[in-house]
């Protein structure tokens, strides 16, 4: 059954020149809101669009410039601030809004009146604290407060540029008190909209733009980057990221949508918002998709600015820029690129993980820089293997938090619970896939570089000199006994000191281990860990009394051995095993 509001909107659009294929019928459904269905089989071509919207009823920047004055909001925080504010006025102000002798409020009423308000938008911004708790330990749950802060600041920077009125002055006082409000109190304020300059009105308009806006450059390639437009009627179509659609603005001033799929009678006619993950869908559109293959996880890495700049200079790391991860309501590939700034570093750098790029090269490169030893001036096999362990450990901690149970109250709207579940499950699936990929990369590296890797088991099996001192020091004869007695680290220390200090015939220690020890031994030495190794040095020297290595078992040499091992090995998470790695650049 056609809703009266939808009927009024369609008739209004057609009276202003909109063209709708007669086979498309709009219906208001119980579970999915407004849907468009085809009453016959349709085989589309680029020359047969289903919907055409004339420029006359497209809400765009020219209208906000016409009402507020061009350049009025040039200092606002968002390029769409003026248009958002205009839409808020059309919705919440009872007075007319005249532009070139035309009342925009009256003109756009059939469109504005049909837009959902408050919780009917599905927006996470209107969720209660109990509902938000369903997002605990997720990206969205952790960033929601910051997103609200950003919108409040954007609203304030916009409304303060208006000519002052008693009402706007009262509205702006929220900036001084919102930090003292609880989540539920702030939501209640936002839902109780009493003026078009209030935060609640601007938040609503922002939600409408996030869920319904199209890029302005579709109708004007010369527009400012990031500008948006609203397209009445066309925005009624639901999303399917597999739908093949064509958007076009023609010379006659019509924006058209053509669904290029073959549509069967009774099928729904879709738009395609693009490949959007559940976080963006839930944030912007109020729903999530089960098993969404476009899902992503945003990892925030916060490091001192000098460290990041050093990673750029030494390893060629590329700093992700703000526009690389700013959330838009649409894809806007035409926005210009810019150089990364300190602001892109100081608040934390964002890296996206998705099913098509489970371990981003740039993210791994940063972790390789953080894992590099003192002598490594280029990415090495060792730094890559260690970086994989560090990244794996960080993701496993996040995964463990996400797996913690949450309280699903029966009082929460079932659709909200379901959307939250789809989102959480998608995040879990992505963490699982990412960790599997990290393990695969490590396994492949170990296979490809067998000749550049060794471990204590191989060392002990071949090194008779080491076997001799281990038996004297610990009374152990096999590798399995070493593991059982938990002295593997100490045995490796002895191995480094043995071959670094003595001229062992048929030495099986790699030359880089020997040279590294000797180099450190000859350097000026200052270390706060000497005291910590004193007891171990005394014990080992006592057990090895009479052996030629005894005089070399000192706290200093033990400290040096730990540094040599640290710079030439990594520890596998899966087995807690130290792997010795050749200093191979990759």
């Amino acid at each position: 059954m056609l809703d009266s509001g939808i009927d009024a909107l369609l008739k209004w659009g057609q009276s202003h020149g909109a063209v709708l294929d007669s086979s498309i019928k709009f219906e208001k459904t119980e579970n999915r809101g407004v849907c468009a269905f085809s009453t016959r089989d349709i085989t589309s071509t680029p020359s047969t669009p289903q919907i055409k919207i004339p420029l006359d009823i497209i809400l765009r920047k020219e209208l906000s410039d016409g009402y507020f004055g061009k350049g009025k909001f040039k200092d606002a925080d968002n390029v769409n601030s003026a248009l958002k504010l205009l839409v808020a006025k059309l919705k919440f102000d009872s007075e007319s809004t005249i532009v070139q002798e035309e009342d925009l409020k009256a003109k756009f009423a059939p469109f504005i009146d049909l837009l959902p308000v408050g919780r009917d938008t599905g927006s996470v911004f209107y969720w209660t604290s109990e509902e938000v708790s369903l997002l605990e330990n997720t990206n969205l749950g952790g960033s929601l407060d910051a997103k609200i802060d950003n919108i409040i600041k954007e609203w304030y920077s916009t409304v303060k540029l208006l000519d002052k009125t008693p009402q706007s002055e009262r509205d702006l006082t929220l900036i001084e008190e919102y930090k003292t409000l609880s989540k539920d109190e702030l939501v209640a304020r936002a839902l109780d909209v009493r003026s078009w300059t209030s935060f609640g009105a601007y938040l609503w308009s922002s939600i409408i733009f996030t869920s319904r806006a199209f890029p302005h450059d579709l109708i004007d390639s010369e527009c400012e980057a990031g500008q948006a437009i609203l397209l009445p009627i066309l925005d009624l179509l639901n999303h399917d990221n597999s739908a093949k659609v064509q958007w076009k603005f023609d010379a006659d001033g019509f924006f058209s949508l053509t669904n290029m799929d073959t549509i069967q009678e009774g099928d729904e006619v879709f738009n395609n918002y693009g490949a959007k993950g559940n976080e963006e869908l839930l944030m912007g559109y109020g729903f999530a998709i089960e098993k969404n293959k476009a899902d992503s996880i945003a990892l925030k890495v916060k490091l001192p600015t000098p460290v990041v700049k050093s990673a750029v200079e030494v390893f060629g790391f590329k700093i992700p820029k703000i526009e690389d991860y700013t959330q838009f309501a649409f894809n806007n590939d035409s926005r210009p690129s810019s150089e990364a700034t300190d602001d892109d570093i100081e608040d934390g750098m964002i890296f996206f993980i998705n099913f098509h790029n489970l371990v981003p090269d740039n993210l791994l490169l940063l972790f390789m820089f953080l894992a590099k030893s003192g002598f490594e001036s280029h990415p090495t096999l060792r730094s890559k293997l260690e970086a994989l362990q560090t990244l794996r450990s960080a993701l496993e901690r996040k995964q463990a938090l996400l797996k913690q149970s949450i309280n699903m109250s029966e009082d929460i709207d079932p659709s909200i619970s379901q959307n939250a579940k789809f989102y959480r499950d998608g995040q879990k699936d992505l963490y699982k896939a990412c960790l599997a990929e990290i393990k695969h990369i490590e396994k492949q590296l170990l296979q490809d570089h067998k000749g550049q890797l060794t471990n204590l088991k191989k060392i002990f099996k071949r090194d008779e000199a080491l076997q001799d001192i281990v038996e004297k020091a610990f009374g152990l004869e096999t590798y399995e006994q070493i593991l059982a007695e938990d002295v593997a680290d100490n045995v490796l220390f002895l191995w480094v000191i043995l071959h670094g200090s003595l001229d062992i015939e048929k030495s099986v220690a790699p030359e880089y281990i020997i040279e590294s020890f000797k180099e450190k031994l000859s350097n000026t030495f200052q270390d706060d860990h000497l005291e910590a190794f004193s007891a171990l040095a005394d014990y080992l020297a006592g057990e090895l009394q009479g052996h030629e290595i005894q005089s070399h078992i000192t706290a200093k040499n033990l400290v040096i051995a730990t540094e040599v091992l640290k710079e030439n090995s990594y520890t596998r998470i899966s087995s807690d095993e130290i792997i010795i790695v050749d200093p191979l650049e990759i």
Side-chain angles (χ1 to χ4, degrees), residues 77-80 84 147 150 154 210 226 276 280 283 298 320-332 335 338 344 350-352:
D77 289 348
N78 188 290
V79 67
N80 294 305
K84 289 182 184 181
K147 292 179 186 294
N150 288 338
E154 181 186 314
T210 302
K276 297 184 183 297
E280 187 173 357
M283 191 71 225
K321 303 183 296 295
I322 291 175
E323 61 256 36
D324 292 336
Y325 58 81
T326 299
Q327 181 183 12
F328 287 86
F330 43 78
N331 291 325
N332 188 3
R335 61 184 187 271
S338 63
D344 294 309
I350 303 295
F351 300 85
F352 280 105

Side-chain angles (χ1 to χ4, degrees), residues 200-471:
Y202 193 86
L203 173 64
W204 169 83
S205 186
S206 296
I207 291 167
I208 293 300
F209 270 76
T210 302
S211 61
R212 293 169 179 263
F214 286 73
H216 193 140
D217 61 10
L218 290 171
I219 65 173
D220 178 13
S221 60
E222 301 299 319
C223 72
E224 188 175 350
Q227 279 184 222
I229 57 176
L230 293 180
L231 291 163
I233 300 176
L234 196 149
D235 67 351
L236 293 174
L237 297 181
N238 289 320
H239 164 64
D240 181 348
N241 61 16
S242 66
K244 298 176 182 177
V245 301
Q246 176 180 277
W247 299 344
K248 184 180 179 181
F249 187 69
D250 60 35
D252 296 328
F254 283 87
F255 183 93
S256 63
L257 179 139
T258 306
N259 196 310
M260 302 303 293
D261 293 314
T262 297
I263 303 172
Q264 303 295 324
E265 179 181 347
D267 285 352
E268 186 170 357
V269 180
F270 290 102
N271 194 358
N272 188 337
Y273 306 160
K276 297 184 183 297
N278 276 339
E279 184 162 328
E280 187 173 357
L281 289 175
L282 194 55
M283 191 71 225
Y285 303 88
F287 68 91
I289 298 173
E290 189 173 15
K291 301 294 183 183
N292 188 347
K293 290 302 180 184
D295 261 341
S296 65
I297 291 174
L299 293 179
K300 189 172 187 178
V301 180
K302 194 168 184 177
L303 296 166
T305 299
V307 172
V308 176
K309 290 186 175 180
S310 182
V312 172
E313 296 171 4
V314 178
F315 272 28
F317 169 69
K318 294 180 181 178
I319 301 168
K321 303 183 296 295
I322 291 175
E323 61 256 36
D324 292 336
Y325 58 81
T326 299
Q327 181 183 12
F328 287 86
F330 43 78
N331 291 325
N332 188 3
D333 296 331
S334 65
R335 61 184 187 271
S337 180
S338 63
E339 293 295 323
T341 67
D342 286 355
D343 289 339
D344 294 309
I345 303 172
E346 290 171 3
D347 292 334
M349 298 173 292
I350 303 295
F351 300 85
F352 280 105
I353 289 174
N354 56 54
F355 286 107
H356 303 290
N357 193 12
L358 289 167
V359 184
D361 290 341
N362 200 39
L363 174 63
L364 184 55
L365 187 63
L366 177 62
F367 273 71
M368 289 170 69
F369 176 80
L370 297 176
K372 84 177 189 69
S373 61
F375 71 87
E376 291 173 328
S377 58
H378 297 85
T380 65
L381 174 61
R382 191 210 63 81
S383 66
K384 188 170 186 176
L385 287 164
E386 184 167 320
L388 288 167
Q389 306 306 298
T390 308
L391 183 58
R392 175 180 169 181
S393 180
L395 293 176
E396 284 179 339
R397 288 194 296 271
K398 289 180 173 292
Q399 182 189 47
L401 288 172
L402 193 57
K403 285 182 176 180
Q404 292 178 2
S405 61
I406 55 174
N407 296 321
M408 288 282 193
S409 170
E410 294 181 358
D411 296 331
I412 294 178
D413 185 322
S415 66
I416 288 179
S417 296
Q418 183 184 64
N419 283 326
K421 183 179 186 303
F422 287 166
Y423 171 57
R424 293 182 71 90
D425 288 348
Q427 298 280 285
K428 291 176 186 177
D429 289 345
L430 196 45
Y431 276 120
K432 182 178 179 181
C434 182
L435 288 167
E437 179 65 13
I438 289 174
K439 294 172 187 176
H440 171 74
I441 294 172
E442 183 193 10
K443 182 178 180 181
Q444 193 64 52
L445 286 172
L446 295 177
Q447 289 178 348
D448 292 345
H449 298 281
K450 286 182 180 179
Q452 287 82 41
L453 305 167
T454 191
N455 58 21
L456 179 57
K457 183 175 183 180
K458 294 177 182 178
I459 292 168
F460 191 74
K461 182 178 180 180
R462 297 168 53 207
D463 198 324
E464 293 181 2
L466 179 64
Q467 293 170 13
D468 179 48
I469 64 172
V470 168
E471 184 177 0

Side-chain angles (χ1 to χ4, degrees), residues 108-169:
F108 285 96
F111 170 61
I112 297 294
D113 290 348
L114 196 60
L115 293 174
V117 180
R119 286 177 64 85
D120 288 341
T121 63
S123 174
V124 178
F125 286 127
Y126 294 129
W127 286 16
T128 66
S129 56
E130 185 176 31
E131 291 163 345
V132 169
S133 70
L134 300 178
L135 305 176
E136 189 175 353
N137 295 322
T138 66
N139 281 338
L140 185 51
S143 65
L144 191 57
D145 286 345
K147 292 179 186 294
I148 293 173
D149 284 350
N150 288 338
I151 295 181
I152 287 179
K153 291 170 184 175
E154 181 186 314
W155 155 76
Y156 182 78
S157 76
T158 303
V159 173
K160 74 176 182 179
L161 296 173
L162 289 171
D163 296 333
K164 293 180 181 180
T165 67
Q167 182 61 55
S168 69
E169 290 291 282

Side-chain angles (χ1 to χ4, degrees), residues 469 473-474 490-498 540 544 549 553:
I469 64 172
F474 303 107
N490 292 341
V491 171
L492 281 172
F493 297 159
L494 287 173
W495 174 66
V496 173
I497 295 171
L498 172 69
L540 292 174
L544 291 167
I549 198 176
I553 304 299

